[in-house]
Every structure is written in C-alpha cells, then in structure tokens.
Amino acid sequence: MKYQIKIIMNKLYNNMRVFLLASCVSFFTSCDNALDRNEASNPDKVLSFMISKSNMKTSRASMNDATMRTEFEVGDKAGVFAVHDGHIVDGFNNLELTYNASGKWQPNESILYNTDMENYTFYAYYPYNTDILFNSTNENPFEDAIRNRKFISDQSSVKLFNEADLMTTSGCSLDPEFHIVNFTMTHVGRLVTIQLPNSSYIFENEDPTIEPYVLSKAENVIFSVNGSKVYPYFDEQVQAYRLILGDNQTKMVVEYINNGRFQKVEITNLPEIERGEYATYIVDGGVQSQKMFLQIGDYYLSDGNIISKDSQLTEEEKMKIIGIIYKLKTTNTIMETNPNWKHAMVIGLTEIHNSQWGSSNTPSGNWYQSYGLNDLGSTNASSVELDALSATGYERTMAWESVYANLGNFPSEFHNIYTTQQNNVSTPTMSTTWFIPSIREWMDIQDSNNAVSMSIKVINSTALNYSNGNGYWSSDLRSGTSCWCYNSNKPNNLNGVGFNSRATYRWILAF
C-alpha cells in the first residue's frame, strides 16, 4: 500500500521568543560587592529578569503549530551566566532560577544591582543542568553543550519532553534604567510532529474544561529512530505525537494498526530539519478534528458522533440520535473503569412503562450488602438526605447484574429489560452500555430538564414525565424488598416501590 505523507517545515520554532522573569525574595551578596542587607528591600537596588507572560493555558509541552510558542510550568528551572572580560562573573556561574505559581522566575536569593553589572554580558538556558557546558571565551558559550547534548529517547511525559527541549540565548545586556535583563531564547533541537490517523472532537469549554473525545485513532503505535525504539510525547490537545531530535538522527519508522490493518511508514528526510526548525508529518490523512463547544442538550448518535443542539438536523441525523447530553463530565468510578469515559452523561430516548423489577421472593435481611449494594439509610422518603447522594448508577447497575447471575428469578424483570435495551439500542464502542440512573443522577437529569426537554421535542421523541405512575426506576435500594423510584410529585421526589410493583424504565450512558 502506498502511504501519503504530508511534510510541513517551518523556522518559526527557531524564532520563538521566551521572556524570563525572576522576582527577588531574599538577600544575596557576591564576593565582590558586599552591600547592606537593608538595601534588598529597595526594588530600585534589585536586579531582575523580566517576563512577558503568555496567555496560553495549555501545557508547556503542547505547542501550537502556527507559533510554536512554549509555555512554562511551575517548578521549571533555568540557568543564568554573566561574563565580563571573557570570565564568568562570581555569583552568576550557572545561577538557578525557578518558575513559581505567580508566573515569575526567582533565584534562591535576591541579587542587588550595582553599576558594574552594566558591563556584563548575560546568557540564559533551559532546562537547568548543574553540569551544563559553558565556555565564556566562545562567541556562543553554549556551543559545546549543544554539540554534546544527548538525544533523549523517552520523551513520553511532559517532564521528559521538557528535559529534551534545550533552549539557549545569545548575549544580553542589562537595562541600566530599570535594572532588568530581557532574554530571548531559541530552541536548539529539531522538533518533529507526527499526525497519525485520528478522528476527534476538541472541546472549547473552559468551565469545566473537557478533554478531547476520540472516536478512532491509530492503535499499537511503535516509533523507532535509527533502528532503536523511541517514545514521543502525545499531545492530547492536538492528538499528535511530538519528538525532539538531536543532530545525528536520520530515519524514523512508525508502525501502527489502523482499522485492523498493520501499517508501516518510513521518514527518511530528518537531516533536512536544521537546529531550531520543526517539521510536521501528516500520515494517511492525519488528525481529523472538529472543534465544538459541548452543551447540555446536544445530541449523541449511535456512531459516537455529537451534534450541537443549535444545528439544523437532517432526517438521517435524527434517525441516528440515541440520547441527549444532560451533564458535562462523568464520575470518578466511571473514569476509573475506562479513562475514555470522561466527557459527558447522556439520557436515552426509549422508555418501558408499567414494568417490574422482579419478584417479591427475595432473600431475607441485608442480603444486598455482599453485592456492593446498600440502601439510602432510611425507608422514609422525607428522611433521605438527597444532597448527600452520589451518582452511582453505573456501578450499581453492574452490581444488579451480578445479583441476577447468582439469585436467578429475583431481579429477572430488570435483567430482561436491561438486556433488551442493550440489544435494541446499540451504543458506540467509545461509550458505556446503558445503565439505570441512581437517584442523584435523576436529580441531575431534572436539573437540566429545560434544555434536555427542548432537544427531545425537536426530534419528536419520548418526553420525560416524572409524575408517570410510580415514577422512574432507580438503581438505589430502599430496603431488601424494594427500590426507590424518582417521582417529582411524591414527598422529597422519592417513591419506595416493591420489586414486584410497576414503574418506568429509562436509561443513561456515559462517554
């Protein structure tokens, strides 16, 4: 098979500007300049490294292909040297600066300004290294460090990626009026970005922020450079792989599975990327992402796609809709079960009325505790503390399936309807199966009732009716012989219903 690889190169990486700021928080005295401690409290006497903070909110390892701007993170460390007459100035021999939560770079001790500093030439680099090579007599004092830096094969985390991203400055002078040194840093590595086949939604939500939702992507991906395995950083925000190369890497091989088929791609032009440049390789179409603002009331389709509630729906799209988003984000338990199920909760469209949970022939006592089930602490609806309840529908529905497997006919109606729902309304592979809401989840659904009901009305589907008979079955136990149903006309919105009594089933899922 012939593979299509689109290559984009740019020198913007080389021209990226980074400004460092150091605030002055404690006293520092060099060997040459003994100054009174009280002078440190006067900002006019303090040397600083000024910053112009970026407005980007993404991780520093996440780079925008248009600007290649880099964002620092709290705890990052940089180093500073000062040179005068070809010699490193005492007190500025690999001075360590740390990036703090205020967006400032600060030394361990404050540095007091004196007029001699106006004759110094300042250099900075990132990330900090106690063994950095710095030759004060060279035109580029960092040349040995750049030439001898080791290629880091494992860049799979933000921390490791940052460690591979060496940046340096040329010589900078101090501003004598404001006692400030402004640094302009450039990358010395060669960055490659690899887009493999991927279909994703990138959500623009900020409160809460929602991670990208991936419909499909290349699986079992293996990278190698010059015949050895490497581990790039995977940038979640753009769904692409990033790797910073050294000077001697010539060939990259990428192997992966796409739609069940093994694929292998060779990239052989790495030497054409110069220091500080970046290249983007788009393989087999690369990342096909759709940006959207996820909202309560948006439509969830059987193939996993999402359609905004503000869209004009086609009849074909209406036929694929299986539910309405009623809450953004999911629960910790759901995410622990599958980390991909973290984006939103969906209320289904189908209902089964006048249906039982099971027979009344149940074991005696607190039989349910051995299945991880529990009651809500009271059989009196008005005594249940609703605000203290958690969204537990997924794990409790799974527990009820375990009860059926062991106790047979007791929860048989629940199991039969559960199985019918899964078979009749299939869910996509990137979501949970259908499950029964807990009382807390029914409360969440009703909290979103206006938006959800409006979207249901648009597609002419089954409206929510909380006052229908005994209400909607929940997965929460009332006692050893009954469940709670959610019914807005009952006291405290709850109705205790025996397993052999009748109520309405409606389902939810998470993706």
Side-chain angles (χ1 to χ4, degrees):
M1 178 177 180
K2 185 177 180 180
Y3 302 96
Q4 295 178 344
I5 304 177
K6 182 179 180 182
I7 305 170
I8 304 170
M9 292 190 182
N10 205 304
K11 288 182 180 291
L12 288 175
Y13 185 58
N14 189 49
N15 296 330
M16 188 205 70
R17 299 176 63 85
V18 180
F19 299 94
L20 304 179
L21 167 67
S23 64
C24 303
V25 295
S26 59
F27 183 75
F28 170 87
T29 303
S30 73
C31 297
D32 295 332
N33 302 289
L35 299 175
D36 190 286
R37 178 178 296 270
N38 292 330
E39 294 184 45
S41 61
N42 184 349
D44 292 335
K45 297 290 186 179
V46 173
L47 177 68
S48 62
F49 305 91
M50 193 54 112
I51 191 173
S52 175
K53 181 162 175 59
S54 167
N55 292 323
M56 286 181 63
K57 298 181 179 180
T58 56
S59 162
R60 190 178 66 77
S62 179
M63 297 184 182
N64 181 308
D65 282 337
T67 64
M68 299 308 296
R69 183 174 295 173
T70 297
E71 183 82 351
F72 288 105
E73 295 182 340
V74 172
D76 280 350
K77 295 181 184 294
V80 172
F81 291 87
V83 174
H84 182 57
D85 289 337
H87 299 285
I88 299 174
V89 178
D90 199 10
F92 293 94
N93 188 356
N94 204 14
L95 174 70
E96 181 181 304
L97 305 178
T98 303
Y99 192 65
N100 64 22
S102 300
K104 300 178 180 180
W105 292 87
Q106 88 184 31
N108 294 329
E109 298 177 334
S110 61
I111 302 170
L112 299 180
Y113 166 79
N114 65 72
T115 56
D116 289 345
M117 295 177 181
E118 296 175 17
N119 299 315
Y120 299 166
T121 302
F122 294 88
Y123 299 86
Y125 73 96
Y126 174 90
Y128 186 80
N129 179 359
T130 56
D131 299 318
I132 187 75
L133 295 175
F134 184 86
N135 188 337
S136 60
T137 63
N138 278 358
E139 181 179 355
N140 179 2
F142 293 111
E143 181 58 35
D144 292 340
I146 295 170
R147 185 172 53 252
N148 291 285
R149 73 187 187 95
K150 294 182 179 179
F151 169 61
I152 298 176
S153 61
D154 185 358
Q155 300 176 25
S156 56
S157 68
V158 172
K159 180 177 182 296
L160 293 170
F161 181 88
N162 293 348
E163 290 174 359
D165 188 16
L166 177 62
M167 293 183 283
T168 65
T169 74
S170 56
C172 302
S173 300
L174 178 145
D175 183 325
E177 182 178 358
F178 297 103
H179 309 155
I180 294 169
V181 183
N182 286 323
F183 288 116
T184 301
M185 280 194 170
T186 57
H187 296 264
V188 302
R190 296 176 292 141
L191 175 70
V192 293
T193 296
I194 303 99
Q195 292 187 18
L196 297 180
N198 179 297
S199 176
S200 308
Y201 284 89
I202 308 297
F203 298 119
E204 298 177 317
N205 301 60
E206 294 184 358
D207 186 19
T209 58
I210 306 174
E211 293 186 33
Y213 169 51
V214 180
L215 293 176
S216 63
K217 64 179 180 179
E219 304 285 354
N220 301 329
V221 183
I222 298 175
F223 289 86
S224 62
V225 172
N226 288 7
S228 299
K229 279 188 178 182
V230 296
Y231 305 90
Y233 173 75
F234 185 72
D235 189 335
E236 291 281 353
Q237 294 304 312
V238 294
Q239 294 292 300
Y241 294 89
R242 302 192 187 278
L243 189 74
I244 297 173
L245 301 172
D247 291 335
N248 301 314
Q249 284 74 50
T250 59
K251 179 181 178 181
M252 175 182 287
V253 176
V254 187
E255 300 173 318
Y256 61 96
I257 303 295
N258 186 27
N259 290 325
R261 297 184 64 183
F262 173 76
Q263 313 276 43
K264 182 177 180 179
V265 175
E266 294 186 357
I267 300 172
T268 59
N269 69 333
L270 298 181
E272 297 177 20
I273 311 169
E274 297 181 4
R275 288 180 181 175
E277 288 189 352
Y278 76 97
T280 298
Y281 297 87
I282 300 175
V283 180
D284 286 349
V287 176
Q288 303 297 317
S289 62
Q290 177 179 338
K291 291 186 177 181
M292 73 175 296
F293 185 84
L294 191 65
Q295 305 174 85
I296 293 171
D298 286 349
Y299 301 99
Y300 193 66
L301 278 59
S302 57
D303 58 8
N305 278 290
I306 308 165
I307 299 178
S308 171
K309 65 180 180 180
D310 301 321
S311 299
Q312 187 71 33
L313 297 169
T314 66
E315 290 304 314
E316 182 180 0
E317 288 172 335
K318 289 181 181 180
M319 294 293 292
K320 291 182 179 180
I321 295 170
I322 60 173
I324 311 295
I325 293 173
Y326 73 84
K327 186 176 182 179
L328 305 184
K329 307 295 281 283
T330 62
T331 69
N332 288 335
T333 298
I334 288 174
M335 287 188 287
E336 288 168 3
T337 304
N338 187 327
N340 296 319
W341 299 338
K342 56 191 170 188
H343 306 96
M345 305 292 296
V346 173
I347 176 74
L349 302 178
T350 56
E351 286 188 358
I352 300 179
H353 300 278
N354 199 32
S355 298
Q356 296 174 298
W357 191 270
S359 71
S360 59
N361 185 22
T362 60
S364 59
N366 297 334
W367 56 268
Y368 45 86
Q369 292 179 349
S370 61
Y371 292 92
L373 293 165
N374 58 281
D375 56 48
L376 301 186
S378 174
T379 57
N380 185 346
S382 61
S383 298
V384 176
E385 297 183 26
L386 293 178
D387 291 338
L389 299 181
S390 300
T392 55
Y394 179 77
E395 55 264 43
R396 291 193 174 179
T397 300
M398 299 302 104
W400 274 111
E401 274 293 272
S402 178
V403 173
Y404 170 76
N406 286 276
L407 300 182
N409 291 331
F410 154 47
S412 57
E413 292 303 311
F414 150 78
H415 170 76
N416 292 337
I417 294 173
Y418 171 84
T419 302
T420 299
Q421 173 70 11
Q422 312 303 333
N423 293 336
N424 289 351
V425 187
S426 60
T427 57
T429 57
M430 61 286 300
S431 79
T432 66
T433 56
W434 296 105
F435 57 94
I436 300 216
S438 64
I439 292 300
R440 175 69 263 176
E441 282 153 331
W442 275 118
M443 294 167 63
D444 292 338
I445 294 165
Q446 191 166 32
D447 286 343
S448 301
N449 186 68
N450 289 343
V452 170
S453 294
M454 181 66 70
S455 294
I456 290 175
K457 184 177 181 180
V458 168
I459 59 176
N460 196 29
S461 192
T462 306
L464 288 162
N465 183 2
Y466 298 97
S467 59
N468 183 18
N470 283 323
Y472 288 105
W473 283 111
S474 82
S475 52
D476 289 325
L477 272 165
R478 177 176 179 266
S479 66
T481 59
S482 63
C483 266
W484 288 111
C485 285
Y486 190 77
N487 187 325
S488 58
N489 284 348
K490 296 292 181 180
N492 221 30
N493 288 356
L494 302 185
N495 187 22
V497 177
F499 297 139
N500 61 340
S501 297
R502 298 183 180 274
T504 300
Y505 282 93
R506 192 150 179 161
W507 308 83
I508 61 175
L509 61 76
F511 72 92

